[in-house]
């Protein structure tokens, strides 16, 4: 088996362990404490920020424009439509040589 498949299998296994481990830890609580619930609710925004901020700061102009336009689109459109349109904007800009 090639090295890439070992990396894929190990990554998948570690992802499974972290997700199931988190579930097992939370299942021990009868009720999730409010501070923990607030912290868990902040995770999606934190992950999105860690994905978008570096591209916004160091990316090329097509990525920056797509991010800003996607912010406005997200106010009106469903998430999947926003992601699809943002991806299409970057792909078209790159295909145009920008």
């Amino acid at each position: 088996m090639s090295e890439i498949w070992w990396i894929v299998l190990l990554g998948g296994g570690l992802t499974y362990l972290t997700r199931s481990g988190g579930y097992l830890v939370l299942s021990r609580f009868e009720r999730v404490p409010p501070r923990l619930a607030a912290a868990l609710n902040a995770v999606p925004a934190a992950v999105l920020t860690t994905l978008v901020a570096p591209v916004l700061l160091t990316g090329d102009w097509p990525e920056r424009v797509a991010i800003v336009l996607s912010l406005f689109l997200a106010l009106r459109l469903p998430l999947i439509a926003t992601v699809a349109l943002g991806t299409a904007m970057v792909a078209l800009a790159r295909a145009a040589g920008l």
Side-chain angles (χ1 to χ4, degrees):
M1 199 180 316
S2 70
E3 184 177 311
I4 190 71
W5 286 109
W6 285 112
I7 293 171
V8 168
L9 289 173
L10 183 63
L14 290 174
T15 300
Y16 177 78
L17 285 175
T18 56
R19 288 179 178 249
S20 62
Y23 174 76
L24 292 173
V25 168
L26 285 177
S27 68
R28 293 191 164 275
F29 293 104
E30 289 180 18
R31 187 176 67 84
V32 177
R35 291 184 74 172
L36 179 59
L40 291 174
N41 285 334
V43 169
V47 169
L48 186 61
T49 301
T50 60
L51 293 174
V52 170
V55 175
L56 192 59
L57 294 175
T58 62
D60 291 331
W61 284 106
E63 287 89 356
R64 290 178 180 172
V65 171
I67 288 172
V68 172
L69 290 176
S70 294
L71 288 172
F72 291 111
L73 290 173
L75 297 173
R76 296 283 181 194
L77 299 175
L79 177 63
I80 190 69
T82 303
V83 170
L85 287 172
T87 304
M89 283 187 281
V90 172
L92 289 173
R94 286 183 180 173
L98 299 176

